[in-house]
Amino acid sequence: GAVVSQHPSWVICKSGTSVKIECRSLDFQATTMFWYRQFPKQSLMLMATSNEGSKATYEQGVEKDKFLINHASLTLSTLTVTSAHPEDSSFYICSASSRNTGELFFGEGSRLTVL
Amino acid sequence: KQEVTQIPAALSVPEGENLVLNCSFTDSAIYNLQWFRQDPGKGLTSLLLIQSSQREQTSGRLNASLDKSSGRSTLYIAASQPGDSATYLCAVSGGGYQKVTFGTGTKLQVIP
């Protein structure tokens, strides 16, 4: 099946620094990618939807200046958590949508810990 | 606004048992429905995708059905194994930008 690679799988950073997470579709072109956040024992919360070559659409309550999303190509989207704070510590997961079927494929997730 | 509910929230069964997980959604105007499993600390693995025009999909010991009119889907797992232990999520896609709504999940434990 299709593969979505997410990197890094875990990262620890100091408060105030910025962290970039990459999401790549390895064997298909993803015109649409999604970024989710997951808190312990909860389901996924959609943060934003990004389409290649255009600005991301953020969900209500998600600060676009804090969570910068770039979808520069059909195979790569990045999420940058700017000026990270401990409350940003979470599990971030990306997904890519198959243009043909609409099936979603997920990355393995990135666990961010902000000290 | 689409709402997706999964019942039960948790399930514990002995190995070898057949089981059914339920997913209900409030808006029947969907593009597709997808079942995933998530292991602790991991991303989601796609199990089955059912397009809105389909009634069911099968893969190995898994069978998923879709009844759009009643807003329901079931995931049937035959002959459960300890390796099936995970959280199972259903997700409904519809609307602009293929907006996806996830269910609350069912945490399955298969006891050897």
Side-chain angles (χ1 to χ4, degrees):
Chain A
V3 177
V4 174
S5 173
Q6 196 171 332
H7 178 81
S9 55
W10 60 270
V11 58
I12 301 173
C13 69
K14 292 182 178 180
S15 184
T17 60
S18 295
V19 175
K20 179 184 285 187
I21 302 171
E22 292 188 349
C23 179
R24 293 181 184 271
S25 57
L26 297 185
D27 53 0
F28 68 104
Q29 292 183 334
T31 52
T32 305
M33 287 186 171
F34 304 86
W35 286 96
Y36 298 86
R37 184 173 180 175
Q38 187 177 35
F39 293 100
K41 298 184 179 181
Q42 294 188 24
S43 192
L44 283 72
M45 181 191 79
L46 178 66
M47 298 175 65
T49 302
S50 72
N51 289 285
E52 184 264 339
S54 63
K55 290 183 178 180
T57 301
Y58 290 81
E59 295 300 301
Q60 192 173 9
V62 178
E63 299 176 58
K64 61 180 182 180
D65 294 330
K66 180 164 189 62
F67 298 100
L68 300 179
I69 292 173
N70 182 275
H71 192 160
S73 75
L74 287 173
T75 60
L76 174 64
S77 177
T78 60
L79 168 68
T80 301
V81 183
T82 63
S83 186
H85 291 285
E87 57 265 30
D88 298 326
S89 298
S90 189
F91 192 56
Y92 293 88
I93 307 177
C94 73
S95 71
S97 172
S98 166
R99 179 191 294 184
N100 294 330
T101 65
E103 186 170 4
L104 289 177
F105 300 96
F106 281 79
E108 281 294 300
S110 300
R111 182 162 301 284
L112 170 64
T113 301
V114 184
L115 302 177
Chain B
K1 178 186 175 184
Q2 178 75 273
E3 293 182 5
V4 182
T5 306
Q6 289 184 246
I7 296 173
L11 182 63
S12 184
V13 300
E15 182 178 2
E17 195 164 294
N18 302 326
L19 58 99
V20 175
L21 306 182
N22 297 291
C23 172
S24 61
F25 47 96
T26 54
D27 186 350
S28 61
I30 65 172
Y31 181 64
N32 62 41
L33 184 145
Q34 201 165 349
W35 282 93
F36 298 90
R37 70 172 280 168
Q38 185 178 29
D39 294 288
K42 299 288 187 180
L44 276 66
T45 301
S46 177
L47 298 174
L48 289 165
L49 169 72
I50 309 177
Q51 301 291 354
S52 61
S53 59
Q54 298 174 323
R55 294 298 298 267
E56 68 175 341
Q57 284 288 326
T58 299
S59 176
R61 294 183 293 108
L62 305 179
N63 176 275
S65 67
L66 174 64
D67 184 344
K68 269 203 325 179
S69 60
S70 67
R72 295 177 189 274
S73 175
T74 60
L75 178 65
Y76 175 83
I77 302 176
S80 58
Q81 302 172 356
D84 295 331
S85 299
T87 296
Y88 289 80
L89 294 162
C90 72
V92 172
S93 177
Y97 293 108
Q98 297 173 273
K99 196 171 182 69
V100 178
T101 305
F102 279 87
T104 46
T106 294
K107 187 174 183 179
L108 172 66
Q109 182 182 25
V110 180
I111 303 168

